[in-house]
Amino acid sequence: MGDNQKGLNDLLKWSIQNSTQPTATAAAAQPNGDASTQEDPTGAVAAAAARGLNPESLKALFGGPSDADLMLAAMAHIRSTDPEVTLESKLTAFDNLEQLIESLDNANLLSKLGLWTPLLELLAHEESEIRLMACWVVGTAVQNNEPSQERLVALGGVERLAAMALGDRLTADGARDESKADKETKDVRRKAVYALSSACRNYQPSMDVLTSELSKRGEGKGEKIDATDMEAVNVVIDALRAQAQNA
């Protein structure tokens, strides 16, 4: 891992650890009247230094890392195998990523940064909370966003989401995991339906793949659904949502 990426990962970890810490704690680390108090009125520098954040990470913090840097750091944190990286911190990083890609420009950065493949692989993560967040991020990224909808189709994401919505557990490459006796959880299935709803509305290729997948599973008749006909799309999505809810 390069020094710059390590610094960003340190920054992300620090941000997660301190996301709920009051600034008064940081300010208490400085003596009254010290010149540094004037330069750092919130005490953020002192708090960061006290937690061992290195100068490069401090520079990234106060120099303003780009959204692209933060997205890369978030994904690296989520996929980390470091035992000190907790599930809670990974979920926080995922939440940060989801908020970043609410911006259309950032959603389209997923492709440029090579993040679509690892994101879709996380649909098969062992932790259900991670799978749920992966569905959520996909749904946010493709909502009213044709370039991202196109990328999802190209990478086989619609097939994966359809399988999850119907209760399948997946392998990292998107196939049905025959080794998993348990079905997908209700919450994850519902979030997969949300992602499919975002992916298929007003984008015909996604709608065609979904109806084809449902037909293969004996769900629906495989008839062509107009992706711009919201009532027709709702019939398909509502049926999936009802199945997930009643699972």
Side-chain angles (χ1 to χ4, degrees):
M1 180 182 297
D3 291 340
N4 185 52
Q5 184 63 53
K6 183 178 186 302
L8 287 168
N9 286 341
D10 289 343
L11 169 62
L12 181 65
K13 185 180 295 185
W14 179 85
S15 175
I16 291 168
Q17 290 173 341
N18 289 273
S19 61
T20 59
Q21 294 296 320
T23 56
T25 301
Q30 300 181 16
N32 292 333
D34 193 297
S36 63
T37 305
Q38 303 301 319
E39 297 173 359
D40 181 27
T42 67
V45 173
R51 288 182 175 270
L53 198 63
N54 63 37
E56 289 74 23
S57 296
L58 283 172
K59 181 179 179 181
L61 176 63
F62 295 102
S66 69
D67 285 356
D69 289 334
L70 292 173
M71 290 167 66
L72 287 167
M75 183 59 75
H77 191 85
I78 295 163
R79 301 179 72 206
S80 173
T81 57
D82 184 342
E84 293 186 1
V85 178
T86 65
L87 174 60
E88 181 181 3
S89 72
K90 290 183 178 184
L91 294 174
T92 300
F94 234 145
D95 186 57
N96 291 342
L97 178 61
E98 194 277 333
Q99 292 182 55
L100 282 166
I101 64 166
E102 288 176 358
S103 158
L104 188 66
D105 289 341
N106 286 345
N108 291 331
L109 275 178
L110 287 171
S111 180
K112 296 178 181 177
L113 297 173
L115 294 180
W116 266 113
T117 295
L119 175 59
L120 294 179
E121 288 175 352
L122 290 169
L123 295 173
H125 198 278
E126 283 297 312
E127 296 288 348
S128 63
E129 296 98 326
I130 295 290
R131 299 196 301 274
L132 185 149
M133 287 301 300
C135 290
W136 192 358
V137 168
V138 170
T140 300
V142 300
Q143 192 168 43
N144 301 315
N145 185 350
E146 186 170 328
S148 289
Q149 290 172 319
E150 179 181 7
R151 193 63 185 155
L152 181 68
V153 170
L155 293 175
V158 175
E159 292 93 333
R160 299 185 193 208
L161 291 168
M164 294 175 74
L166 293 173
D168 286 350
R169 290 288 303 276
L170 304 179
T171 61
D173 62 1
R176 183 177 182 177
D177 193 340
E178 300 292 349
S179 70
K180 302 290 185 185
D182 54 323
K183 301 285 280 184
E184 188 53 90
T185 69
K186 179 184 296 187
D187 287 343
V188 174
R189 290 179 67 173
R190 291 171 62 185
K191 197 60 74 173
V193 174
Y194 156 74
L196 286 169
S197 178
S198 297
C200 295
R201 294 183 189 276
N202 294 308
Y203 191 65
Q204 197 62 50
S206 290
M207 192 73 246
D208 291 345
V209 173
L210 176 58
T211 54
S212 175
E213 289 300 304
L214 294 178
S215 179
K216 291 175 184 177
R217 299 283 293 267
E219 305 287 342
K221 300 177 182 178
E223 72 275 14
K224 191 174 185 68
I225 303 294
D226 184 352
T228 65
D229 182 345
M230 293 303 103
E231 290 187 7
V233 174
N234 285 341
V235 169
V236 176
I237 297 301
D238 287 348
L240 286 172
R241 188 176 291 117
Q243 284 194 44
Q245 182 62 35
N246 297 324

